Amino acid sequence: MDKALFSKMLDIDLNSKFGATVNNATPVQLHESISSVIMTQIADNWNKSTQIHLSKRHACYLSMEFLMGRAVYNNLLCLGLKDTVDEVLKNYGRSLSELEEIEDAALGNGGLGRLAACFLDSAAAHDLPLDGYGIRYKYGLFKQTIENGFQREYADNWQKFGDPWSKRCDSDAVEVVYGDETVKAVPYDMPIIGYGTDNIGNLRLWQAEAVDDFDFMSFNDGKYDDSVKAKNSAENISKVLYPNDNFEEGKILRLKQEYFFSSASLTDILKKHIERFGTLDNLADMVTIQLNDTHPVISIPELMRQLIDIHGMDFDKAFAITQKVFNYTNHTIMQEALEKWSCELVEKIIPRVYAFVLMINERFIKDMYELKKDKKLIAKMSPVGDGMVRMANMAVYVSSYTNGVAAIHTEILKAETLKDWYEIYPDRFQNKTNGITQRRWLALCNAELSALITRLLGNNDWVKNLDELAKLKKYADDENVLREFIAIKNKKKHELAAFVKAHDGVEINPDTVFDIQIKRLHEYKRQFLNALSILYIYYGIKDGSITDFTPTTYIFGAKSAPGYRRAKAIIKLIGEIAKLVESDPDTKDLIKVVFVQNYNVSYAEKLVTAADISEQISTAGTEASGTGNMKFMLNGTVTLGTFDGANVEIVEEAGDENNYIFGARVEDLEKIMPEYDPREVAFADEKIMRVLNKLIDGTFDDGGVASNEEGSFKELYKSLMDGASWHVPDHYYLIGDLNSYVETKLQVNRDYKNEIAFAKKCWLNMCSAGKFSSDRTIKDYAQNIWKIN
């Protein structure tokens, strides 16, 4: 589309919808009309692509989360129209940058949802027939503010100005039946525009609505609440991502959500298949379904139910098709994190589906008897046991393949978490190391670095083949190139500082080291360890044991689950440390601590481009993969991290000498943890105790939370020293890793002083990021799991 045509269509749309012109339209109106023009232009290709996908063997990706972020910039980039549109707007004195105020589609919590978004992007770019299914949450996760140091959650009404990148498809609405109610699932389709191709994938998100949303008789009788009861009950299902499940009602709602989108998606898939082929006998030949973690695993008994109850298949035939169709991606090695549902709850909410869960369980027991397995082993592995439906067990049993998401993660699955399954079905297990799309995470968010890469390579082929970056390693000793790279990094740091000032009201010095940790707030990700290390360094500077310290800004970005009180206490602690170092004349020019509010995809796009140090410090053996580490690496950042998740492969690709690895490894912890006594370690080290004592000596204000309750700093101390009912003391080995972490943190701080040598490390990380493109990952899935072309 040329500028003249786009300008004309934009004018027409703005005038017809808002009576506005490009000159006087609000940013929201501009966004609406730009989106409308693009959606009109892509409609034919979108419809054509959908039909091509359905005509051949294709894959469907079921995920509770799709963390898409802001669509407009990415869609324009993929269409090759970003510069064109910006030039048109600039002719009117406007700019694409004005659309920064458009809300992110925050339909995810972290890496799980962002991975799903990257996979759809890569599949579309490489003409692979992959489409997504999920939930169209009205409020997404939540908007986070920090008030008096505490996280506060507010509804994230991302649709308040409309949703112009989706189209409602009423003709494809289906009904989802629970034990006590029937609701309508209405699909909204979002185009996934392939970069440099006519292919457009589809993300179908289901919105829950009442079959009859208003009971006129009840209203007429003055029972006003009853008249809209069905409407409210149905709409609650797709109201919020991950409702708090610390109580029974929350658990019921979560299970209803999982079944809602699973049932609706399968109904849709079967309907389209029958329309094209007239039979379901060849379903497994034409359709493969990837279950992204255990949230959609209820799809397994649901498909059995539909094939048998609705389409008249016998059990054996339905089971064979179901087992061939499904594949399962595992995202955790921690047994306690593997999803389980109370049998009583499942039977209450979806009684007919529960009957198929029991039938699957009996089929499993029969199979194990045929393999002469021990009854204790059968009881341990069965999909139903101890009054619970074990979703991971059902997923591995009734699927073709199970994959981990990083090499070390997959090996731990095979050796520990899913060891029994691997011994019985070794051919089902594969590794698919996660990846990220370089379109959003470099080409879009770092135009300056992208331009340098393209200039040095002589083309922009890297945008679809990230392995091209390896050709730039020859510039690692070219001081002119490195100085240009340093200048770009400095520009991004200044941009981030300006954004933090505008967004959070905090001034940060772009001439300091930017040490950044951004990820979901969880104990195993060890933001707590990072906070303790800053205290350690603070007191080291105060007593003179740490000298010549390069001024550093420590930036955190994270959201805690609303009911996760210990995680919220960690956020409060970080804020207290920030006040301490800021108020001390000895450190206020050396250490700055900032916890940015409402961390999301758009904020991440700014943070990853400006970082000098990427904090990836989970306890070894707990992080499945991580993808934030890859985003930092791609933008030329060194990793300060443990030998965990994809960090292992990052070091393999970029070199140990160009990153900073610390702490106990998986094999070390296997020996250490059975005898580990954190008190013994802490009491023997006065510097560690000096830090830990600050949690209990009244130095910091934890908001008056009772000392024995989760959410207090004293309880944080207790969790390290004494443990809790559900975990051993210092379960994630913070005290044990603290000295190694601080030593390594100070080493990178010293190395930063040698500007060129440090820039070389950063440059080589960027050049080595080719493996971590989601293009590579998705092609691996396509070839070795889905068998699609």
Side-chain angles (χ1 to χ4, degrees):
M1 194 190 309
D2 64 28
K3 287 183 229 174
L5 177 59
F6 178 81
S7 183
K8 180 180 178 181
M9 293 181 70
L10 183 60
D11 269 329
I12 292 170
D13 197 85
L14 281 168
N15 185 52
S16 65
K17 284 181 179 169
F18 308 111
T21 66
V22 179
N23 298 92
N24 62 23
T26 67
V28 170
Q29 291 169 343
L30 274 180
H31 177 247
E32 170 75 31
S33 288
I34 289 170
S35 306
S36 179
V37 170
I38 298 302
M39 290 285 274
T40 300
Q41 290 298 301
I42 67 171
D44 288 344
N45 273 351
W46 191 5
N47 291 332
K48 181 180 175 183
S49 297
T50 298
Q51 294 309 310
I52 290 172
H53 288 195
L54 292 173
S55 70
K56 58 171 73 174
R57 180 171 172 80
H58 59 283
C60 302
Y61 199 86
L62 270 60
S63 180
M64 194 83 170
E65 301 181 32
F66 284 93
L67 190 51
M68 304 305 293
R70 191 185 291 124
V72 59
Y73 297 140
N74 195 69
N75 286 345
L76 292 175
L77 175 83
C78 289
L79 288 165
L81 289 174
K82 186 167 176 284
D83 291 341
T84 299
V85 173
D86 200 29
E87 287 170 18
V88 168
L89 294 180
K90 283 177 177 172
N91 288 338
Y92 293 90
R94 309 299 296 272
S95 170
L96 262 181
S97 63
E98 293 179 46
L99 306 189
E100 286 276 348
E101 70 179 61
I102 303 303
E103 300 285 347
D104 279 25
L107 308 182
N109 183 30
L112 185 85
R114 189 51 234 169
L115 180 75
C118 285
F119 280 177
L120 294 184
D121 175 277
S122 288
H126 291 277
D127 301 317
L128 292 168
L130 173 71
D131 298 300
Y133 284 95
I135 298 177
R136 188 176 187 259
Y137 302 102
K138 179 172 178 59
Y139 291 111
L141 188 57
F142 57 82
K143 276 197 171 181
Q144 176 202 56
T145 63
I146 305 299
E147 300 174 17
N148 298 317
F150 288 101
Q151 170 179 293
R152 293 287 181 261
E153 304 92 17
Y154 296 93
D156 181 12
N157 188 9
W158 65 278
Q159 301 173 39
K160 65 185 175 186
F161 296 123
D163 179 19
W165 293 107
S166 293
K167 64 176 182 180
R168 183 179 169 104
C169 304
D170 281 294
S171 61
D172 285 342
V174 301
E175 291 190 352
V176 175
V177 181
Y178 300 98
D180 61 348
E181 67 177 326
T182 298
V183 303
K184 184 164 66 172
V186 181
Y188 284 73
D189 286 355
M190 183 182 295
I192 309 299
I193 299 169
Y195 179 92
T197 176
D198 289 338
N199 182 48
I200 298 176
N202 193 69
L203 172 58
R204 173 155 282 192
L205 300 175
W206 298 99
Q207 179 169 293
E209 299 179 4
V211 175
D212 297 305
D213 65 3
F214 185 68
D215 184 342
F216 188 77
M217 293 293 290
S218 293
F219 190 86
N220 221 28
D221 290 340
K223 299 174 182 176
Y224 304 131
D225 289 343
D226 288 350
S227 71
V228 291
K229 185 177 180 181
K231 172 183 168 67
N232 291 340
S233 177
E235 291 179 1
N236 281 343
I237 293 170
S238 59
K239 191 79 77 178
V240 175
L241 170 67
Y242 295 146
N244 187 352
D245 63 354
N246 286 353
F247 44 86
E248 187 71 4
E249 291 83 356
K251 290 181 173 63
I252 291 171
L253 185 53
R254 281 212 191 192
L255 180 58
K256 281 190 169 185
Q257 286 184 331
E258 293 185 4
Y259 181 69
F260 168 73
F261 94 94
S262 297
S263 178
S265 301
L266 290 170
T267 303
D268 189 60
I269 290 166
L270 297 189
K271 174 189 167 189
K272 289 174 178 174
H273 185 85
I274 290 171
E275 285 175 352
R276 184 167 290 273
F277 297 104
T279 178
L280 291 173
D281 289 350
N282 65 340
L283 181 69
D285 298 324
M286 302 305 294
V287 176
T288 181
I289 300 174
Q290 192 70 34
L291 304 173
N292 190 28
D293 213 342
T294 51
H295 308 121
V297 168
I298 201 69
S299 297
I300 290 173
E302 171 62 10
L303 180 56
M304 293 283 293
R305 184 194 70 80
Q306 292 199 21
L307 292 177
I308 294 170
D309 284 1
I310 299 174
H311 300 286
M313 279 190 191
D314 64 56
F315 183 91
D316 288 342
K317 184 176 180 179
F319 184 85
I321 288 174
T322 300
Q323 197 167 47
K324 287 178 184 175
V325 163
F326 284 112
N327 310 286
Y328 162 54
T329 298
N330 173 281
H331 285 275
T332 181
I333 56 90
M334 293 184 283
Q335 280 288 348
E336 66 270 19
L338 293 175
E339 189 176 31
K340 302 174 185 70
W341 286 104
S342 151
C343 292
E344 183 180 349
L345 184 64
V346 177
E347 185 175 23
K348 175 185 174 183
I349 301 302
I350 38 177
R352 184 57 182 156
V353 176
Y354 181 66
F356 282 95
V357 170
L358 295 180
M359 285 186 262
I360 289 168
N361 192 63
E362 286 301 309
R363 174 62 177 256
F364 166 77
I365 294 171
K366 177 176 176 287
D367 286 354
M368 294 302 104
Y369 266 65
E370 290 175 358
L371 294 173
K372 310 296 185 188
K373 294 300 178 183
D374 175 79
K375 287 184 180 179
K376 285 185 178 179
L377 180 66
I378 295 173
K380 177 184 174 187
M381 295 178 65
S382 62
V384 178
D386 299 324
M388 306 296 285
V389 181
R390 303 157 172 165
M391 306 307 277
N393 288 9
M394 184 156 56
V396 180
Y397 175 54
V398 196
S399 63
S400 293
Y401 297 103
T402 292
N403 71 277
V405 292
I408 187 174
H409 169 234
T410 301
E411 290 309 307
I412 293 172
L413 288 180
K414 294 191 292 187
E416 297 176 21
T417 315
L418 300 176
K419 178 177 181 288
D420 299 324
W421 291 100
Y422 177 65
E423 289 176 353
I424 296 173
Y425 302 119
D427 294 340
R428 292 188 184 182
F429 282 75
Q430 295 188 17
N431 176 59
K432 299 286 172 277
T433 297
N434 283 345
I436 59 171
T437 168
Q438 64 268 30
R439 266 96 38 202
R440 181 177 288 271
W441 295 108
L442 181 54
L444 180 64
C445 70
N446 201 337
E448 297 84 355
L449 185 54
S450 298
L452 175 60
I453 291 167
T454 297
R455 194 185 81 227
L456 293 176
L457 287 174
N459 58 63
N460 70 345
D461 293 352
W462 62 271
V463 182
K464 288 187 78 165
N465 179 10
L466 199 60
D467 290 335
E468 289 288 303
L469 294 189
K471 295 176 181 177
L472 299 177
K473 289 181 181 179
K474 63 185 179 183
Y475 294 106
D477 293 308
D478 186 323
E479 186 170 337
N480 290 330
V481 169
L482 292 179
R483 292 216 173 273
E484 195 168 351
F485 172 71
I486 291 167
I488 290 169
K489 180 75 76 173
N490 287 338
K491 182 176 188 295
K492 306 312 284 188
K493 290 170 77 170
H494 278 81
E495 289 176 0
L496 176 62
F499 186 81
V500 170
K501 179 67 163 62
H503 184 271
D504 295 277
V506 178
E507 290 192 13
I508 59 176
N509 181 358
D511 296 326
T512 61
V513 180
F514 279 10
D515 180 310
I516 301 181
Q517 185 178 18
I518 45 172
K519 51 186 74 252
R520 184 166 53 91
L521 205 307
H522 196 287
E523 287 166 88
Y524 83 85
K525 294 179 184 288
R526 299 204 296 187
Q527 287 95 342
F528 190 12
L529 176 65
N530 194 350
L532 295 177
S533 78
I534 296 169
L535 264 185
Y536 191 113
I537 290 168
Y538 166 77
Y539 285 111
I541 292 171
K542 290 287 288 180
D543 70 15
S545 60
I546 295 175
T547 58
D548 200 25
F549 182 80
T550 309
T552 300
T553 300
Y554 297 100
I555 300 175
F556 295 82
K559 289 181 179 180
S560 162
Y564 193 174
R565 298 187 66 189
R566 195 177 283 174
K568 288 185 163 184
I570 293 168
I571 293 175
K572 173 64 171 170
L573 175 64
I574 292 167
E576 290 297 302
I577 294 171
K579 288 194 287 187
L580 174 69
V581 300
E582 179 79 14
S583 63
D584 192 324
D586 294 339
T587 57
K588 68 182 182 67
D589 295 326
L590 293 175
I591 304 175
K592 181 84 173 183
V593 179
V594 180
F595 194 103
V596 300
Q597 301 177 92
N598 205 40
Y599 168 65
N600 57 16
V601 172
S602 293
Y603 215 140
E605 289 171 7
K606 297 170 175 61
L607 289 159
V608 298
T609 64
D612 297 304
I613 301 168
S614 161
E615 295 268 2
Q616 309 295 331
I617 60 175
S618 53
T619 312
T622 61
E623 183 72 83
S625 169
T627 51
N629 44 9
M630 302 170 188
K631 294 159 194 166
F632 283 113
M633 179 193 195
L634 182 58
N635 283 274
T637 307
V638 298
T639 295
L640 169 59
T642 49
F643 211 62
D644 192 31
N647 294 354
V648 176
E649 292 162 82
I650 285 174
V651 169
E652 286 174 358
E653 295 296 309
D656 188 58
E657 70 279 7
N658 295 313
N659 290 286
Y660 297 84
I661 301 299
F662 73 91
R665 301 192 177 194
V666 171
E667 58 271 24
D668 300 324
L669 290 171
E670 288 173 355
K671 299 171 187 173
I672 292 169
M673 290 307 290
E675 303 296 328
Y676 175 55
D677 182 351
R679 284 188 183 275
E680 183 178 357
V681 176
F683 290 161
D685 189 321
E686 63 179 28
K687 290 183 178 179
I688 290 179
M689 277 310 303
R690 178 169 61 183
V691 169
L692 296 179
N693 281 334
K694 297 303 156 189
L695 299 173
I696 58 176
D697 68 3
T699 297
F700 297 132
D701 171 21
D702 61 7
V705 180
S707 61
N708 62 334
E709 289 185 11
E710 281 195 9
S712 72
F713 296 161
K714 290 182 176 66
E715 199 280 332
L716 287 179
Y717 178 92
K718 186 174 182 295
S719 74
L720 295 177
M721 295 302 210
D722 301 324
S725 60
W726 55 272
H727 70 77
V728 299
D730 195 12
H731 182 50
Y732 295 112
Y733 201 62
L734 278 71
I735 294 172
D737 267 350
L738 183 55
N739 275 325
S740 173
Y741 179 41
V742 170
E743 288 167 11
T744 311
K745 204 163 193 166
L746 292 173
Q747 182 61 55
V748 65
N749 185 272
R750 289 189 293 271
D751 289 352
Y752 182 84
K753 293 178 184 298
N754 188 331
E755 188 177 46
I756 295 298
F758 192 80
K760 178 180 178 179
K761 292 174 185 280
C762 294
W763 181 263
L764 286 171
N765 268 279
M766 181 201 75
C767 297
S768 304
K771 176 180 179 177
F772 302 106
S773 170
S774 50
D775 297 355
R776 183 267 314 153
T777 316
I778 213 68
K779 289 176 183 177
D780 196 353
Y781 275 100
Q783 180 178 347
N784 295 308
I785 291 184
W786 302 332
K787 323 290 187 192
I788 61 172
N789 300 309

